[in-house]
Amino acid sequence: MSFWRFFYEMIILLAVITYTILIFADPADHPHLTEELIRKVDLGLILFLGFEYLLRLYLAKNKQKFVRENWFDIIAIIPFDLLFPLARFMRIIRIVRLLKASPLLWSVLNSNQMRKIFAYLAVILLWSATAVYLLEKGNNDSFQTWGDALWWSVVTTTTVGYGDISPITEGGRIIAAFLMISGIGLIGTFTANLANHWMTFFEAPSNREDDVFEALEEELAYEDDRLQNHLKHNVMQWVHRIETLSESEYQTLLRTLEMLREKEL
């Protein structure tokens, strides 16, 4: 993995975090974060996404097919929010488009393991935040809004425990104990899978194996059952000599199996 590709991924990650802050920020609470500044950031992101789209369109072999497959990208770069009161909605559309610009982040979101962890984590955080908000509101001045409760749930689940907000009711403390106990294993699982995905992504060679996988993905999307049968035959051949496969070949085998399974579903 080249330094510049790693640098690009980090820039996109920081851009996603920064733009997410702008989505949820209230300009009225910040003297320097004005609506004018946010509009300039929106315009800069539109220009970046537009340039990136035109570059990929220029490099695409089949331009009509590229346009059909990337219709969402076109919506993300149209400045609807400058014409209609759709700023918050369009920013969410652009944050998704920005995630797609990063192969690493998009692969994390498309990973079955990571999606299961995200889903479980979202359910736990939303449930605990809502429950502790209902239990503590009126009894505890620390929980003024549901956002305060969500912040407390995140801090408690990660076992950071800032102490700026804490429950005082028995029910709230039971929820806190549950989050602390489950958070140890949950965050450990999340970070372990994220680190493994990160290392696999950056250490996998971007040569023949990646090219083979991209070709297989392309063919699975547009070829008939004959090609799928051929791929299944190749998978069986790989399985028969699985003990001799290299790490990159093994990863390619797993990804091919996952594609075949999704195609059947």
Side-chain angles (χ1 to χ4, degrees):
M1 178 63 62
S2 67
F3 168 79
W4 291 112
R5 185 172 182 184
F6 175 82
F7 182 76
Y8 171 80
E9 293 288 346
M10 292 305 301
I11 292 297
I12 294 297
L13 174 61
L14 295 177
V16 168
I17 297 174
T18 302
Y19 202 66
T20 302
I21 294 173
L22 294 179
I23 290 177
F24 294 99
D26 184 2
D29 297 335
H30 303 272
H32 303 293
L33 188 61
T34 63
E35 287 287 354
E36 180 64 24
L37 175 61
I38 295 178
R39 281 195 292 269
K40 290 181 179 179
V41 173
D42 284 333
L43 180 59
L45 183 59
I46 291 174
L47 293 176
F48 168 76
L49 295 178
F51 173 78
E52 192 258 359
Y53 177 85
L54 292 175
L55 180 61
R56 291 188 296 125
L57 176 63
Y58 174 75
L59 296 176
K61 295 180 179 179
N62 190 332
K63 291 180 171 48
Q64 291 183 350
K65 174 183 168 183
F66 176 85
V67 173
R68 289 196 304 268
E69 292 182 346
N70 295 275
W71 57 270
F72 183 83
D73 299 355
I74 299 178
I75 295 177
I77 60 179
I78 297 177
F80 282 120
D81 48 327
L82 301 180
L83 306 175
F84 306 100
L86 299 173
R88 188 65 60 89
F89 175 74
M90 289 306 301
R91 287 169 188 163
I92 294 176
I93 294 293
R94 289 184 193 123
I95 204 71
V96 175
R97 176 61 188 86
L98 196 56
L99 286 169
K100 289 182 63 179
S102 168
L104 172 61
L105 295 178
W106 197 246
S107 65
V108 169
L109 295 178
N110 284 329
S111 169
N112 288 332
Q113 294 84 355
M114 295 303 295
R115 280 187 293 187
K116 291 176 183 177
I117 294 174
F118 283 137
Y120 181 76
L121 186 61
V123 170
I124 292 298
L125 291 178
L126 294 176
W127 168 80
S128 61
T130 302
V132 79
Y133 175 70
L134 296 175
L135 290 169
E136 298 291 324
K137 185 173 176 57
N139 298 316
N140 190 341
D141 293 337
S142 298
F143 292 87
Q144 296 293 327
T145 64
W146 185 82
D148 294 334
L150 181 61
W151 167 252
W152 171 82
S153 296
V154 173
V155 171
T156 305
T157 302
T158 56
T159 67
V160 174
Y162 286 121
D164 55 339
I165 303 177
S166 60
I168 60 175
T169 64
E170 295 300 324
R173 290 174 176 174
I174 291 174
I175 295 174
F178 169 74
L179 289 181
M180 286 184 283
I181 294 173
S182 62
I184 295 174
L186 180 62
I187 298 301
T189 302
F190 172 78
T191 54
N193 278 273
L194 185 60
N196 179 67
H197 193 91
W198 177 282
M199 296 303 296
T200 301
F201 181 86
F202 282 107
E203 289 185 355
S206 57
N207 47 34
R208 185 177 60 85
E209 286 77 16
D210 282 345
D211 293 337
V212 169
F213 176 74
E214 291 177 2
L216 292 178
E217 190 177 35
E218 181 80 10
E219 291 172 336
L220 274 176
Y222 296 101
E223 295 296 334
D224 55 13
D225 292 337
R226 180 184 61 81
L227 178 57
Q228 292 187 49
N229 292 333
H230 177 68
L231 292 176
K232 292 176 182 178
H233 175 74
N234 288 341
V235 167
M236 293 302 300
Q237 296 296 321
W238 287 337
V239 170
H240 286 313
R241 59 182 187 90
I242 192 170
E243 66 279 359
T244 63
L245 295 179
S246 65
E247 179 62 25
S248 59
E249 290 175 333
Y250 179 69
Q251 292 298 329
T252 302
L253 171 60
L254 294 180
R255 296 161 73 184
T256 304
L257 286 172
E258 184 176 343
M259 284 194 305
L260 286 170
R261 183 175 182 273
E262 291 178 354
K263 187 69 174 180
E264 293 296 332
L265 295 176

